[in-house]
Amino acid sequence: MIKINWINELFANRMLWNAVLAWFLAQLIKILLHLIATKKLDLHLILESGGMPSSHSAIICALAVSTGRMLGFDSNAFALVCVMAMIVMYDAMGVRRATGEQGKVLNKLIDMMNISDQLQTTLKEVVGHKPIEVFAGATLGIFVGCVFF
């Protein structure tokens, strides 16, 4: 027989919803910062990566703190999520940021060669994060994990 109450279990998973809340707040902050800086509301930013604060850092840090609070800070699950958090945040500042920098250079080359019409696309330049953006996202995630758990 198929277990039907999985939907109830999904909605009762506080660790999951804390992580989702941290992601949503990070994305909302990006929209608000963009609104303040440009005086334009851009709701498309809710699904964009990169920028201040890092939603990747927020989501993984909220999950780590929630895991520690629910299962214990000495649990294997907490250790696993902490290692994942280190990898995610390192990747956001390293590999993903380098990808964005390469996108900037390639877009300049495309413009200089006047071939942008042939390609009909522009490479995304904001992919990764500066360390302060990762720190802000991590701080937001830790805050959400502590306050909303």
Side-chain angles (χ1 to χ4, degrees), residues 42-79:
D42 186 359
L43 296 178
H44 291 99
L45 292 174
I46 196 78
L47 298 176
E48 291 290 319
S49 61
M52 170 70 93
S54 166
S55 57
H56 291 83
S57 299
I59 198 169
I60 197 69
C61 286
L63 182 62
V65 171
S66 297
T67 301
R69 293 192 67 192
M70 177 166 266
L71 302 176
F73 289 97
D74 62 344
S75 68
N76 291 338
F78 177 71

Side-chain angles (χ1 to χ4, degrees), residues 2-88:
I2 298 175
K3 191 174 182 181
I4 297 178
N5 68 342
W6 67 270
I7 294 174
N8 292 335
E9 291 174 356
L10 181 67
F11 282 102
N13 189 326
R14 292 186 305 180
M15 289 167 51
L16 172 65
W17 291 109
N18 267 359
V20 170
L21 176 63
W23 169 84
F24 178 77
L25 290 174
Q27 296 302 97
L28 184 63
I29 290 169
K30 288 178 190 180
I31 291 171
L32 294 175
L33 291 175
H34 183 266
L35 177 64
I36 291 167
T38 66
K39 307 290 189 252
K40 294 178 185 174
L41 181 63
D42 186 359
L43 296 178
H44 291 99
L45 292 174
I46 196 78
L47 298 176
E48 291 290 319
S49 61
M52 170 70 93
S54 166
S55 57
H56 291 83
S57 299
I59 198 169
I60 197 69
C61 286
L63 182 62
V65 171
S66 297
T67 301
R69 293 192 67 192
M70 177 166 266
L71 302 176
F73 289 97
D74 62 344
S75 68
N76 291 338
F78 177 71
L80 176 66
V81 178
C82 282
V83 170
M84 287 175 36
M86 288 184 258
I87 292 168
V88 166

